[in-house]
CSV table of all heavy atoms in Angstrom, one decimal:
chain,number,residue,atom,x,y,z
A,45,MET,N,27.0,2.6,8.3
A,45,MET,CA,27.9,1.7,8.9
A,45,MET,C,28.1,0.5,8.0
A,45,MET,O,27.2,0.0,7.4
A,45,MET,CB,27.4,1.2,10.2
A,45,MET,CG,28.3,0.5,11.1
A,45,MET,SD,28.2,-1.3,10.8
A,45,MET,CE,29.6,-1.9,11.8
A,47,GLU,N,30.4,-3.3,7.2
A,47,GLU,CA,31.4,-4.3,7.5
A,47,GLU,C,31.1,-5.5,6.6
A,47,GLU,O,30.0,-5.6,6.0
A,47,GLU,CB,31.4,-4.7,8.9
A,47,GLU,CG,30.1,-5.5,9.4
A,47,GLU,CD,30.3,-6.0,10.8
A,47,GLU,OE1,31.4,-6.4,11.2
A,47,GLU,OE2,29.3,-5.9,11.6
A,49,ILE,N,29.7,-8.6,6.3
A,49,ILE,CA,28.7,-9.5,6.9
A,49,ILE,C,27.7,-9.6,5.9
A,49,ILE,O,27.5,-8.7,5.0
A,49,ILE,CB,28.2,-8.9,8.2
A,49,ILE,CG1,27.2,-9.8,8.9
A,49,ILE,CG2,27.5,-7.5,8.0
A,49,ILE,CD1,26.7,-9.3,10.3
A,240,GLY,N,32.6,-2.6,13.3
A,240,GLY,CA,32.0,-3.8,13.6
A,240,GLY,C,32.9,-5.0,14.0
A,240,GLY,O,34.1,-4.8,14.2
A,241,ASN,N,32.3,-6.1,14.2
A,241,ASN,CA,33.0,-7.3,14.5
A,241,ASN,C,34.1,-7.6,13.5
A,241,ASN,O,35.2,-8.2,13.8
A,241,ASN,CB,32.1,-8.5,14.6
A,241,ASN,CG,31.2,-8.4,15.8
A,241,ASN,OD1,31.3,-7.5,16.6
A,241,ASN,ND2,30.3,-9.3,15.9
A,242,TYR,N,33.9,-7.1,12.3
A,242,TYR,CA,34.9,-7.4,11.2
A,242,TYR,C,36.2,-6.7,11.5
A,242,TYR,O,37.3,-7.1,11.1
A,242,TYR,CB,34.3,-6.8,9.9
A,242,TYR,CG,35.1,-7.0,8.7
A,242,TYR,CD1,35.4,-8.3,8.2
A,242,TYR,CD2,35.5,-6.0,7.9
A,242,TYR,CE1,36.1,-8.5,7.1
A,242,TYR,CE2,36.2,-6.1,6.7
A,242,TYR,CZ,36.5,-7.4,6.3
A,242,TYR,OH,37.2,-7.6,5.2
A,271,TRP,N,32.4,-13.7,10.3
A,271,TRP,CA,31.0,-14.0,10.0
A,271,TRP,C,30.9,-15.3,9.2
A,271,TRP,O,30.0,-15.5,8.4
A,271,TRP,CB,30.3,-12.9,9.3
A,271,TRP,CG,30.1,-11.7,10.2
A,271,TRP,CD1,30.8,-10.6,10.1
A,271,TRP,CD2,29.2,-11.6,11.3
A,271,TRP,NE1,30.5,-9.7,11.2
A,271,TRP,CE2,29.5,-10.3,11.9
A,271,TRP,CE3,28.3,-12.4,11.9
A,271,TRP,CZ2,28.8,-9.9,13.0
A,271,TRP,CZ3,27.6,-12.0,13.0
A,271,TRP,CH2,27.9,-10.7,13.6
A,360,ASN,N,35.9,-1.6,18.9
A,360,ASN,CA,34.5,-1.9,18.7
A,360,ASN,C,33.9,-2.6,19.9
A,360,ASN,O,34.5,-3.6,20.3
A,360,ASN,CB,34.3,-2.7,17.4
A,360,ASN,CG,32.8,-3.0,17.2
A,360,ASN,OD1,32.0,-2.1,17.0
A,360,ASN,ND2,32.5,-4.3,17.2
A,361,GLU,N,32.8,-2.1,20.4
A,361,GLU,CA,32.1,-2.8,21.5
A,361,GLU,C,33.0,-3.4,22.6
A,361,GLU,O,32.9,-4.6,23.0
A,361,GLU,CB,31.2,-3.9,20.9
A,361,GLU,CG,30.1,-3.4,20.0
A,361,GLU,CD,29.1,-4.4,19.6
A,361,GLU,OE1,29.3,-5.6,19.6
A,361,GLU,OE2,28.0,-4.0,19.2
A,415,HIS,N,25.2,1.3,20.8
A,415,HIS,CA,24.5,0.4,19.9
A,415,HIS,C,23.2,0.0,20.4
A,415,HIS,O,23.1,-0.4,21.5
A,415,HIS,CB,25.4,-0.8,19.6
A,415,HIS,CG,26.7,-0.5,19.0
A,415,HIS,ND1,27.7,-1.4,18.7
A,415,HIS,CD2,27.2,0.7,18.5
A,415,HIS,CE1,28.7,-0.9,18.1
A,415,HIS,NE2,28.4,0.4,18.0
A,417,TYR,N,20.0,-2.4,19.3
A,417,TYR,CA,19.2,-3.3,18.5
A,417,TYR,C,18.0,-3.6,19.4
A,417,TYR,O,18.2,-4.4,20.4
A,417,TYR,CB,20.0,-4.6,18.2
A,417,TYR,CG,21.2,-4.3,17.3
A,417,TYR,CD1,22.5,-4.3,17.7
A,417,TYR,CD2,21.0,-4.1,15.9
A,417,TYR,CE1,23.6,-4.1,16.9
A,417,TYR,CE2,22.1,-3.9,15.1
A,417,TYR,CZ,23.4,-3.9,15.6
A,417,TYR,OH,24.4,-3.6,14.7
A,445,GLU,N,25.5,1.9,15.7
A,445,GLU,CA,24.8,0.8,15.2
A,445,GLU,C,23.4,0.9,15.8
A,445,GLU,O,23.3,1.0,17.0
A,445,GLU,CB,25.4,-0.5,15.5
A,445,GLU,CG,26.8,-0.7,14.9
A,445,GLU,CD,27.4,-2.1,15.3
A,445,GLU,OE1,26.7,-3.0,15.6
A,445,GLU,OE2,28.6,-2.1,15.3
A,497,ALA,N,22.6,-0.4,11.2
A,497,ALA,CA,23.5,-1.6,10.9
A,497,ALA,C,22.6,-2.9,11.0
A,497,ALA,O,21.7,-2.9,11.8
A,497,ALA,CB,24.6,-1.7,11.9
A,498,PRO,N,23.0,-3.9,10.2
A,498,PRO,CA,23.9,-3.9,9.1
A,498,PRO,C,23.2,-3.2,7.9
A,498,PRO,O,22.0,-3.2,7.7
A,498,PRO,CB,24.2,-5.3,8.8
A,498,PRO,CG,23.9,-6.1,10.0
A,498,PRO,CD,22.8,-5.3,10.7
A,510,TRP,N,22.7,-12.3,9.5
A,510,TRP,CA,22.1,-11.4,10.4
A,510,TRP,C,20.8,-10.8,9.8
A,510,TRP,O,20.7,-10.5,8.7
A,510,TRP,CB,23.1,-10.2,10.7
A,510,TRP,CG,22.7,-9.2,11.7
A,510,TRP,CD1,21.8,-8.2,11.6
A,510,TRP,CD2,23.2,-9.2,13.1
A,510,TRP,NE1,21.7,-7.5,12.8
A,510,TRP,CE2,22.6,-8.1,13.7
A,510,TRP,CE3,24.1,-9.9,13.8
A,510,TRP,CZ2,22.8,-7.7,15.0
A,510,TRP,CZ3,24.3,-9.5,15.1
A,510,TRP,CH2,23.7,-8.5,15.7
B,13,AHR,O1,25.9,-5.2,13.1
B,13,AHR,C1,26.3,-6.5,13.4
B,13,AHR,C2,27.2,-6.6,14.6
B,13,AHR,O2,26.5,-6.1,15.7
B,13,AHR,C3,28.4,-5.8,14.6
B,13,AHR,O3,29.5,-6.4,13.9
B,13,AHR,C4,28.8,-5.6,16.0
B,13,AHR,O4,29.5,-4.4,16.2
B,13,AHR,C5,27.5,-5.7,16.7
B,13,AHR,O5,27.5,-6.5,17.7
Side-chain angles (χ1 to χ4, degrees):
M45 189 269 174
E47 70 175 317
I49 183 175
N241 290 356
Y242 184 62
W271 295 105
N360 179 59
E361 294 190 339
H415 294 176
Y417 294 105
E445 294 180 26
W510 184 281

